[in-house]
Amino acid sequence: MNQTKVAFVTGASGGIGSAIAIKLNQLGYNLALNYNQNIEPLIKLKDLLTNKTAKTIIIQGDVADFESSQSMIQEAIASFGRMDVLVNNAGITNDKLLLKMTGEDFSEVIRINLNGTFNCTKHVSKIMMKQKSGCIINISSVIGLMGNIGQSNYAASKAGIIGFTKSIAKELARKNITCNAIAPGFIQTKMTSDMSEEVIEAIKKNIPLKRLGDPEDIANLVAFLCSDQAAYITGQTISVDGGLYI
Ligand SMILES: NC(=O)c1ccc[n+]([C@@H]2O[C@H](COP(=O)([O-])OP(=O)(O)OC[C@H]3O[C@@H](n4cnc5c(N)ncnc54)[C@H](OP(=O)(O)O)[C@@H]3O)[C@@H](O)[C@H]2O)c1
């Protein structure tokens, strides 16, 4: 890379976000890594990053909050002066059957997963438009494509991300900015670690490759999508799910 590229990763304190951070650091990116409540994983992660020439900063903030998202992006720009890649990865689940799901259970998941993606994209887009380049990657989910019992809030948020991705791809293409979504299947992180052994075994039976994915499987696709080789790919949702959604 001629000029050191900069990436902003939301939810970098989690399983998939950490793997994305490690991969982008190996590729030489300067990183702005966001967490909301748990800074410890990011302090540990910073020590693990092998490319010591590339710089990494840690930024606290709530992606669901419009102003907080804005100040995080401003902090990253104050440190690095540019923004090449945004990975909207922060997300939560709050699973309940519709009969038990309250309005707050529904909106909390929409606010973090979908509004959070809007908030960060909105603030970063201004910078990328001025630069006339950029790459936005939104982490959706196989559940946004298939739906799932007990996950109507999560499925709605992740399906919303897919529609949002297509629209932003069309809006920003004229400024040489790509926008794609990744739809992970079941990946081994904190998000899936609460599931019982029986549930995991039942899920594996439905996955053609018969195993859960690793966070690195998602990070590898992020690395490809923000590389020059993917410059002509935009508006797509790419599944990384062992064949679960075919
Ligand atoms: N694991 C899977 O099987 C799977 C499958 C499909 C899609 N995904 C998606 O992949 C993404 C990452 O998931 P994961 O498995 O890595 O989950 P995870 O380990 O639970 O990490 C979630 C991350 O989101 C952050 N976060 C939550 N609320 C936030 C907020 N309001 N503002 C900023 N950050 C916030 C958390 O930060 P703090 O902990 O610091 O609060 C954490 O870094 C999510 O969007 C998830 O929906 C995961």
Side-chain angles (χ1 to χ4, degrees):
M1 285 185 286
N2 298 334
Q3 190 170 17
T4 304
K5 288 195 174 180
V6 179
F8 184 85
V9 183
T10 69
S13 48
I16 293 176
S18 299
I20 294 169
I22 290 169
K23 186 78 191 174
L24 294 180
N25 166 267
Q26 286 166 355
L27 293 171
Y29 281 82
N30 284 337
L31 294 177
L33 301 179
N34 153 257
Y35 74 98
N36 186 32
Q37 291 179 350
N38 297 297
I39 194 173
E40 303 80 19
L42 278 182
I43 292 171
K44 284 188 195 142
L45 177 79
K46 220 177 152 183
D47 286 339
L48 289 177
L49 297 176
T50 50
N51 185 337
K52 302 291 179 197
T53 336
K55 298 186 183 74
T56 299
I57 58 166
I58 296 173
I59 304 180
Q60 193 282 329
D62 177 0
V63 295
D65 183 294
F66 191 77
E67 278 77 31
S68 175
S69 303
Q70 185 169 36
S71 57
M72 286 195 284
I73 305 299
Q74 283 168 347
E75 201 177 325
I77 291 297
S79 295
F80 297 131
R82 58 182 292 117
M83 188 59 68
D84 300 283
V85 175
L86 166 66
V87 187
N88 283 307
N89 165 74
I92 62 158
T93 51
N94 184 358
D95 300 351
K96 274 171 201 162
L97 293 173
L98 184 61
L99 278 177
K100 295 210 166 154
M101 191 177 289
T102 65
E104 180 48 30
D105 293 331
F106 188 83
S107 359
E108 183 204 19
V109 172
I110 299 287
R111 265 199 319 270
I112 294 175
N113 297 3
L114 187 54
N115 291 47
T117 298
F118 163 78
N119 290 339
C120 295
T121 304
K122 161 108 182 147
H123 299 306
V124 161
S125 67
K126 287 183 191 146
I127 296 146
M128 290 182 172
M129 284 168 91
K130 268 193 205 145
Q131 286 173 189
K132 295 195 176 60
S133 69
C135 169
I136 299 166
I137 299 169
N138 300 324
I139 306 299
S140 176
S141 168
V142 68
I143 303 304
L145 297 165
M146 295 172 63
N148 199 17
I149 292 172
Q151 292 200 298
S152 58
N153 49 3
Y154 185 73
S157 73
K158 295 299 186 177
I161 286 177
I162 293 171
F164 179 74
T165 300
K166 291 178 183 179
S167 304
I168 297 307
K170 288 186 177 186
E171 277 188 39
L172 301 187
R174 69 198 164 86
K175 294 288 183 187
N176 191 32
I177 299 165
T178 61
C179 182
N180 291 291
I182 298 177
F186 289 90
I187 308 295
Q188 306 201 57
T189 68
K190 192 162 79 314
M191 200 172 262
T192 45
S193 65
D194 290 344
M195 294 172 175
S196 70
E197 220 20 61
E198 286 140 326
V199 172
I200 296 279
E201 284 313 310
I203 289 170
K204 281 185 191 168
K205 278 195 185 124
N206 288 325
I207 301 172
L209 286 176
K210 299 291 172 216
R211 60 177 175 85
L212 301 196
D214 295 318
E216 292 71 26
D217 294 321
I218 309 305
N220 288 336
L221 182 55
V222 168
F224 173 67
L225 285 174
C226 61
S227 74
D228 290 345
Q229 286 93 330
Y232 201 53
I233 300 174
T234 196
Q236 303 306 304
T237 299
I238 303 175
S239 295
V240 182
D241 63 1
L244 179 58
Y245 184 65
I246 294 177

